[in-house]
């Protein structure tokens, strides 16, 4: 795997995992503070 | 976006940063950050251990002897938080930092600066947590599970503990993202997923567990915070809330958390047993799938921690059977370890002793876990010393024994020196004997009805408590021997020089590097030769 592809892969992985974390936090906070 | 560890930044030198501050506080090197994590973990292990000794000293005899009951409760609470979040988890992250890049042929972790940040959050989180010991009103005393209403009836320590937990969670999530990004993107060409060492596989799955459950814990403790300080009633029955809801949310985090602390241990043992049995791991793919199965099941068993709160029969049956299902993939693992040893040319150096000790003693903890899974039996065992005995078998003789095994196994690769094998064996045998003297009698205490988290007890429980306390102090003193072995190897460097392979039949990329491993390794990706890999031929 060349370097540019590796960098792009790391970027995609971080964005995807960060999205999961934000979605989980978001769900919990929205559920806790607005949907109760 | 953070910087990336790639091969284009001319690491064709081996210069460490010269200044102490620059090297250890500003480090982006996976080996240095791994060392920081491991040292931090050892310090926390000793602090948490000292708290355990306060507990065992108070319980040496019935009656209130040494400490105030509130302080006793603080000790049980903070001991657990320190050991779980400060000792076991950082030790595994330290091992991941040191070993994963070397095992997959990467020059460093994918996100080295975030790696530094992940570590340096931890000392501040624990400074916050431990500072509560010196506050008016004392440290939290409601148990590590932080169940309301008890946990928020304390003083301002609640806010400190909650912010500490938030920081630990942020550190864990960043560490997990880093590990996943490293494993998915930084493997050397030819290191296919199903050729990776089992330790790397178990960490990949563990990292996904961390990302999934740490936000849940953060949500739960944030709701505690607002209940305490901002007038909400999430968990207050008086305000229309539900304290049992906290238990559900907490254990939705808590049960996967238990596996976060044991899956990397499975990986370590799966590395060590083949080396000292001089055979490939039996059932490599089965090990990977079993790990994934355990991780999946960890999400659907949480309510077995709270059978006694009252739940519909259907719920009890579901959580009971789901819990028992976990014994299947775990049994696969234990079978595979035994089958790996079967007819192998085994030798019993210290890492192997700890690994074999792990297999036997962790299995005892697993079986007592199965007993606790049985709903009608759990009504008797719940909140007794039987539970304490169970989880100390899986966490001390499970997680901590595996960490000890890993340290002895890889220490020569890290330092370039062999540790003192005679003292290592003494450490193993003394630890194994004393840990059983410490925790085995607690099964009997629990079955006889002694509740956990109490500073005083019925005199009928006196004998087993005295035996347990003697075991506790002996185990604690034995760990000082471990500290001495580390000083002797790392600092005084009195051991023999380690060879590149260190162990006769160790396989994997890390053993192709010199000992000690150079500051920058695999700056150009290694050429993968399947014969060098422990699992090189699994796909053929």
């Amino acid at each position: 795997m060349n370097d540019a592809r590796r960098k792009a892969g790391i970027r995609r992985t971080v964005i995807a995992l960060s999205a999961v974390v934000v979605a989980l936090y978001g769900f919990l906070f929205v559920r806790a503070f607005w949907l109760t | 976006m953070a910087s990336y560890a790639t091969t284009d930044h001319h690491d064709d030198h081996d210069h460490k940063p010269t200044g102490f501050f620059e090297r250890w506080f500003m480090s982006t090197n996976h080996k240095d950050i791994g060392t920081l994590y491991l040292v931090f973990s050892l310090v926390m292990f000793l602090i948490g251990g000292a708290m355990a000794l306060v507990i065992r000293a108070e319980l040496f005899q019935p009656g209130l002897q040494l400490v105030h009951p509130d302080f006793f409760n603080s000790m049980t609470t903070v001991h657990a938080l320190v050991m779980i979040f400060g000792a076991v988890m950082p030790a595994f992250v330290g091992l991941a930092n040191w070993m994963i890049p070397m095992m997959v042929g990467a020059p460093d972790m994918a996100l080295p600066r975030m790696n530094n940040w992940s570590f340096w959050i931890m000392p501040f989180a624990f400074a916050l947590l431990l500072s509560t010991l010196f506050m008016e009103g004392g440290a939290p005393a409601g148990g590590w599970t932080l169940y309301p209403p008890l946990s928020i009836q304390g003083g301002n320590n609640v806010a400190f503990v909650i912010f500490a937990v938030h920081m630990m969670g942020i550190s864990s999530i960043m560490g997990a993202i880093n590990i996943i990004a490293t494993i998915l993107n930084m493997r050397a060409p030819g290191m296919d997923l199903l050729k990776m060492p089992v330790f790397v596989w178990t960490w990949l799955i563990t990292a996904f567990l961390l990302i999934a459950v740490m936000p849940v814990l953060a949500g739960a403790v944030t709701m505690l915070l607002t209940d305490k300080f901002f007038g909400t009633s999430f968990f207050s029955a008086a305000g229309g809330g539900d304290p049992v809801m906290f238990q559900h949310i907490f254990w939705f985090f808590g049960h996967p958390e238990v596996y976060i602390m044991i899956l990397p241990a499975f990986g370590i043992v799966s590395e060590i047993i083949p080396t000292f049995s001089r055979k490939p791991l039996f059932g490599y793919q089965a090990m990977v799938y079993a790990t994934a199965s355990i991780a999946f099941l960890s999400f659907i068993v949480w309510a077995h921690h709270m059978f006694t709160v009252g739940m519909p029969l259907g719920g009890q049956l579901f959580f009971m059977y789901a819990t028992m299902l976990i014994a299947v993939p775990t049994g696969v693992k234990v079978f595979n370890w035994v089958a790996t040893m079967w007819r192998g040319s085994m030798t019993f150096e210290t890492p192997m002793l700890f690994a074999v000790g792990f297999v036997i003693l962790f299995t005892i903890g697993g079986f007592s876990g199965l007993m606790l899974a049985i709903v009608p039996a759990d009504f008797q065992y719940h909140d007794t010393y039987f539970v304490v005995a169970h989880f100390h078998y899986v966490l001390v003789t499970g997680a901590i024994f595996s960490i000890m095994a890993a340290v002895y196994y890889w220490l020569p690769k890290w330092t370039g020196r062999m540790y003192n094998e005679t003292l290592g064996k003494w450490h193993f045998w003394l630890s194994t004997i004393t840990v059983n003297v410490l925790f085995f009698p607690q099964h009997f205490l629990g079955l006889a009805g002694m509740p956990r988290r109490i500073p005083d007890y019925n005199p009928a429980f006196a004998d087993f408590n005295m035996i347990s306390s003697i075991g506790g102090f002996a185990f604690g003193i034995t760990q000082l021997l471990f500290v001495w072995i580390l000083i002797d190897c790392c600092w005084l460097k009195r051991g023999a020089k380690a060879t590149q392979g260190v162990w006769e039949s160790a396989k994997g990329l890390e053993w192709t590097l010199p000992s000690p491993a150079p500051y920058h390794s695999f700056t150009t990706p290694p050429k993968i030769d399947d014969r060098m890999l422990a699992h090189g031929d699994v796909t053929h």
Side-chain angles (χ1 to χ4, degrees):
Chain A
M1 191 188 289
N2 67 36
D3 226 45
R5 283 184 59 195
R6 177 171 290 179
K7 280 184 181 176
I10 293 171
R11 191 183 302 260
R12 272 199 302 274
T13 311
V14 172
I15 290 170
L17 295 174
S18 303
V20 171
V21 173
V22 170
L24 279 167
Y25 272 99
F27 170 75
L28 284 161
F29 282 84
V30 170
R31 177 74 186 78
F33 293 101
W34 284 283
L35 298 181
T36 45
Chain B
M1 185 64 68
S3 69
Y4 303 112
T6 52
T7 53
D8 62 353
H9 60 273
H10 299 295
D11 270 338
D12 49 349
H13 52 79
D14 202 14
H15 297 164
K16 301 177 178 70
T18 44
F20 181 86
F21 184 85
E22 197 189 343
R23 171 151 186 204
W24 295 108
F25 288 81
M26 298 165 70
S27 181
T28 52
N29 180 286
H30 73 103
K31 299 182 181 84
D32 279 354
I33 294 173
T35 303
L36 286 170
Y37 266 111
L38 289 169
V39 170
F40 177 79
S41 158
L42 181 65
V43 171
M44 286 294 139
F45 178 60
L46 297 174
I47 292 173
M51 293 174 182
L53 294 184
V54 172
I55 295 168
R56 283 319 319 170
E58 177 59 47
L59 295 175
F60 185 70
Q61 286 186 314
L64 295 175
Q65 251 83 229
L66 301 171
V67 293
H68 191 276
D70 283 343
F71 186 71
F72 181 92
N73 289 339
S74 290
M75 286 292 99
T76 58
T77 305
V78 184
H79 160 75
L81 290 168
V82 165
M83 286 302 204
I84 292 168
F85 294 105
V88 173
M89 289 173 67
F92 284 132
V93 179
L95 292 169
N97 260 294
W98 251 104
M99 300 315 300
I100 287 176
M102 293 205 290
M103 286 176 141
V104 300
D108 204 309
M109 299 293 280
L111 304 148
R113 290 190 202 172
M114 194 166 84
N115 206 15
N116 174 295
W117 196 17
S118 301
F119 172 76
W120 277 108
I121 285 177
M122 299 286 289
F124 293 97
F126 280 88
L128 213 55
L129 174 65
L130 294 174
S131 72
T132 60
L133 285 162
F134 307 100
M135 287 171 62
E136 202 179 321
W144 84 278
T145 51
L146 303 170
Y147 281 4
L150 186 61
S151 66
I152 53 174
Q153 286 169 356
N156 291 331
N157 64 41
V158 178
F160 282 68
V161 175
I162 288 171
F163 286 131
V165 168
H166 276 141
M167 288 164 74
M168 293 168 206
I170 291 167
S171 165
S172 292
I173 288 170
M174 290 198 298
I177 290 176
N178 209 346
I179 285 168
I180 293 171
T182 304
I183 296 172
L184 295 187
N185 298 290
M186 303 283 286
R187 299 190 316 278
M191 176 60 79
D192 304 343
L193 281 175
L194 278 175
K195 289 181 184 175
M196 293 195 310
V198 184
F199 178 68
V200 179
W201 257 113
T202 53
W203 243 117
L204 179 64
I205 293 166
T206 301
F208 277 107
L209 287 184
L210 276 168
I211 287 177
V213 301
M214 279 297 162
V216 179
L217 175 67
V221 297
T222 305
M223 285 187 266
L224 274 186
L225 188 78
T226 58
D227 270 13
K228 167 86 179 168
F229 295 104
F230 301 104
T232 58
S233 301
F234 292 112
F235 308 126
S236 162
D242 181 4
V244 174
M245 179 54 75
F246 178 86
Q247 301 186 23
H248 280 292
I249 300 171
F250 180 85
W251 286 112
F252 187 81
F253 145 80
H255 201 80
E257 167 69 16
V258 174
Y259 294 130
I260 287 163
M261 291 190 287
I262 205 65
L263 295 183
F266 291 165
I268 290 163
V269 171
S270 303
E271 299 297 326
I272 292 173
I273 286 180
T275 296
F276 295 97
S277 304
R278 291 163 180 77
K279 278 175 64 190
L281 182 69
F282 184 90
Y284 167 79
Q285 292 200 29
M287 285 300 216
V288 172
Y289 295 131
T291 308
S293 306
I294 293 170
F296 169 74
L297 289 169
S298 75
F299 285 103
I300 57 166
V301 297
W302 75 89
H304 69 210
H305 293 272
M306 37 186 293
F307 282 139
T308 56
V309 297
M311 68 180 78
L313 183 63
Q316 293 179 348
L317 288 171
F318 173 80
F319 286 109
M320 175 168 76
Y321 287 124
T323 304
M324 289 182 165
L325 268 184
I326 298 173
V328 177
T330 313
V332 167
K333 284 185 168 292
V334 174
F335 180 89
N336 287 353
W337 291 322
V338 175
T340 305
M341 288 187 272
W342 181 256
R343 307 191 75 174
S345 302
M346 293 169 70
T347 51
F348 294 92
E349 288 86 343
T350 310
M352 181 63 162
L353 287 173
F354 272 104
V356 175
F358 169 94
V359 174
I360 297 168
L361 297 171
F362 172 79
T363 304
I364 293 178
F367 276 128
S368 58
L370 272 179
M371 292 169 71
L372 288 161
I374 303 167
V375 175
D378 184 72
F379 274 70
Q380 181 70 25
Y381 306 150
H382 185 85
D383 256 348
T384 70
Y385 254 83
F386 191 85
V387 180
V388 178
H390 155 69
F391 68 70
H392 281 95
Y393 265 87
V394 290
L395 281 174
V396 180
T397 63
I400 290 184
F401 265 38
S402 80
I403 293 164
M404 300 283 184
V407 169
Y408 283 114
Y409 186 54
W410 285 313
L411 198 58
K413 180 54 65 187
W414 299 338
T415 63
R417 295 278 172 175
M418 298 304 289
Y419 59 88
N420 185 325
E421 186 66 47
T422 309
L423 290 182
K425 284 184 170 141
W426 271 101
H427 176 223
F428 168 75
W429 285 109
L430 286 172
S431 291
T432 302
I433 293 165
T434 55
V435 85
N436 281 288
V437 175
L438 166 57
F439 293 120
F440 209 80
Q442 295 181 4
H443 291 108
F444 306 135
L445 287 168
L447 292 177
M450 177 168 161
R452 61 191 288 205
R453 295 170 173 159
I454 51 163
D456 187 11
Y457 51 84
N458 189 310
F461 304 132
D463 291 348
F464 282 131
N465 267 300
M466 189 177 280
I467 294 168
S468 181
S469 289
I470 291 168
F473 276 86
F475 183 74
I477 292 165
T478 301
Q479 301 324 306
L480 298 179
L481 181 59
F482 179 57
V483 175
W484 168 248
I485 293 167
L486 292 177
I487 292 171
D488 187 53
C489 179
C490 305
W491 207 343
L492 305 178
K493 297 185 188 299
R494 293 204 299 203
K497 282 200 166 162
T499 59
Q500 178 175 294
V502 182
W503 311 108
E504 191 179 83
S505 72
K507 282 194 163 183
L509 289 181
E510 75 268 35
W511 306 109
T512 64
L513 293 167
S515 302
Y519 196 65
H520 297 288
S521 45
F522 296 133
T523 45
T524 51
K527 283 201 166 50
I528 304 284
D529 175 355
D530 274 6
R531 286 167 303 181
M532 294 185 319
L533 303 179
H535 319 291
D537 57 354
V538 286
T539 49
H540 299 301

